[in-house]
Amino acid sequence: MAGVLRALLSASEKAANIARVCRQEGALFQLLIQEKTGADKNKKFIQDFKTLADVIIQEVVRHDVGKQFPELLHAIHGEESNTFENKLGGRVEVQVCSTETDTAALLCSVLDGNKEAAGLLAQTIHQEIELRDPAAERLELAIPTSSMGIWIDPIDSTSQYIKGRGDVEPEKGLYPSGLQSALVLIGVYDRGSGEPIMGVINQPFNQCDPGSLRWQGQYHWGVSYQGLSASSLARPAPPPHKELSVVLSSSETETVKQALMPLCGRRMYRASGAGYKFLCVILGLVDAYVFSENTTFKWDSCAPHAILRSLGGGVADLASSLSHPHGGLPELKYHQPRDGVQGVERWANHGGLVAFLSEQSLKEILSALSGNVLQ
């Protein structure tokens, strides 16, 4: 099991390196931030590079983990399709080739012949990275790979990644927007029960060195399986204040905000990116993340859910929790698509969610939201 976790950690760090390289190397940065208009709009690949960065990262994780554990390759899923189509109608299967030269040639064909950008990407893709974590390597927890499924979100909060703001000031330690909210999420679930069992969150843009202007990242992991738990993080200490604190989406409904006001007062914060809002709970910056809409997906929540479970928390299905207040805790599951819908909606967290560290906090939030606030 330590081998799988080590592979996920190393793959997440390579993914973070790719995300940083795309922002820090001139040839790639220009592709990322520019968008042609008018007569030039469909003559270059530039606009589509935003999507390609996601696809490349996802395929790198799939390749690197699958290379070490071939039996897992068919069970690794993500937000993106690896069939890429640019604005010119060209289609290519994005993949990691056997050599750096071949990968560069494939990327060059997609990048409108930009050899410099393709070479930079290929070099980073084929760089050997082994992230050693003594605590992870000491784990003695046997999880059969035959029971594992993996969800990848290559760059969560893509819009903030593209905007690239590194000067956003935090509020109570929480960033409302900016590069800090762009995360790589890799979650493992049990294919039989659907329960999240292992998660890795890599934050490529945690701190910017003021001298070099280069970003440094950080990562977190957690494992929860058959009553045993381990994490790179200690469980945050309970906050001294009486009011609960929650992080919300900027699109959250007024009904939900008004229902939480008596419970939270001014301690309702906004932040970009589902993954980052989960991370705020994991780090103890807030007590809970509440989201009443149906627009998060299994790749958004699997990794942070596993880490929360390793710390004694979880992620509840909000609608089910309110509909069956006296039943067991309906936590999100990850193995089965929703019936009767097509495309990515099959994997939506339909009914909203509440991420929490304390079941007491969850109970207070559900009590505040009772009364059909989701109707």
Side-chain angles (χ1 to χ4, degrees):
M1 198 287 301
V4 174
L5 179 56
R6 186 188 308 162
L8 297 183
L9 289 170
S10 296
S12 81
E13 187 61 17
K14 182 181 285 190
N17 281 347
I18 294 171
R20 285 189 290 263
V21 164
C22 286
R23 291 215 59 89
Q24 293 173 170
E25 297 294 340
L28 294 170
F29 182 61
Q30 290 304 313
L31 290 176
L32 189 67
I33 64 171
Q34 293 182 24
E35 184 170 315
K36 291 293 183 181
T37 59
D40 291 333
K41 189 173 180 65
N42 291 327
K43 292 183 180 179
K44 297 291 183 181
F45 174 82
I46 290 170
Q47 185 179 25
D48 310 298
F49 184 75
K50 300 171 184 179
T51 303
L52 183 63
D54 274 305
V55 176
I56 289 173
I57 288 174
Q58 180 172 293
E59 290 310 303
V60 164
V61 173
R62 191 195 308 273
H63 172 270
D64 286 12
V65 175
K67 184 177 180 180
Q68 294 186 56
F69 299 93
E71 69 275 19
L72 281 177
L73 193 56
H74 72 286
I76 302 175
H77 312 288
E79 178 179 8
E80 308 292 345
S81 166
N82 73 323
T83 301
F84 184 81
E85 181 173 354
N86 66 17
K87 299 298 182 186
L88 299 175
R91 294 170 64 88
V92 65
E93 295 273 331
V94 177
Q95 59 182 319
V96 179
C97 301
S98 57
T99 68
E100 181 178 325
T101 300
D102 289 343
T103 299
L106 182 148
L107 293 174
C108 192
S109 70
V110 181
L111 289 170
D112 197 32
N114 190 326
K115 292 184 179 180
E116 183 182 2
L120 285 168
L121 273 176
Q123 183 181 40
T124 308
I125 288 169
H126 285 271
Q127 181 182 7
E128 289 294 329
I129 291 180
E130 186 174 9
L131 200 162
R132 304 302 297 265
D133 186 304
E137 294 174 18
R138 288 196 298 269
L139 287 180
E140 297 181 359
L141 182 60
I143 306 176
T145 54
S146 59
S147 70
M148 293 181 181
I150 298 176
W151 281 114
I152 306 167
D153 190 343
I155 305 179
D156 189 63
S157 195
T158 307
S159 65
Q160 295 301 314
Y161 175 65
I162 299 302
K163 291 175 183 176
R165 289 196 59 190
D167 59 350
V168 177
E169 291 296 327
E171 181 180 2
K172 305 294 186 182
L174 184 154
Y175 289 90
S177 60
L179 275 172
Q180 289 86 350
S181 63
L183 308 177
V184 177
L185 309 173
I186 309 175
V188 181
Y189 63 93
D190 186 294
R191 284 155 52 190
S193 67
E195 294 182 349
I197 56 179
M198 187 186 306
V200 173
I201 295 177
N202 199 307
Q203 188 178 25
F205 305 97
N206 178 50
Q207 287 186 331
C208 186
D209 181 83
S212 66
L213 299 181
R214 295 279 172 170
W215 283 91
Q216 299 172 340
Q218 68 174 0
Y219 67 88
H220 312 288
W221 58 264
V223 177
S224 179
Y225 183 70
Q226 294 186 347
L228 297 176
S229 297
S231 177
S232 61
L233 293 161
R235 181 181 171 88
H241 52 81
K242 294 182 179 179
E243 290 181 335
L244 288 184
S245 58
V246 297
V247 62
L248 305 171
S249 168
S250 59
S251 64
E252 188 54 77
T253 67
E254 283 299 320
T255 304
V256 168
K257 288 187 282 188
Q258 290 301 318
L260 291 173
M261 185 66 70
L263 183 65
C264 302
R266 296 182 179 180
R267 300 182 64 82
M268 290 194 292
Y269 304 100
R270 308 286 186 273
S272 298
Y276 181 69
K277 288 190 276 288
F278 281 116
L279 182 60
C280 290
V281 183
I282 290 168
L283 297 177
L285 299 175
V286 291
D287 295 302
Y289 162 33
V290 179
F291 189 59
S292 64
E293 300 178 46
N294 306 326
T295 52
T296 66
F297 298 87
K298 302 307 178 187
W299 49 80
D300 294 313
S301 56
C302 186
H305 192 169
I307 298 176
L308 282 165
R309 283 171 62 96
S310 75
L311 297 172
V315 182
D317 181 308
L318 178 56
S320 294
S321 297
L322 293 173
S323 300
H324 304 89
H326 303 298
L329 178 63
E331 290 205 61
L332 299 186
K333 298 296 178 62
Y334 295 90
H335 60 322
Q336 293 180 342
R338 292 180 60 226
D339 294 329
V341 292
Q342 300 296 320
V344 296
E345 294 302 318
R346 298 167 66 235
W347 299 107
N349 294 318
H350 187 77
L353 57 85
V354 182
F356 61 93
L357 274 173
S358 161
E359 289 201 21
Q360 180 58 37
S361 297
L362 174 65
K363 290 177 181 177
E364 293 181 37
I365 288 169
L366 293 177
S367 176
L369 295 176
S370 62
N372 300 316
V373 298
L374 300 183
Q375 298 300 321

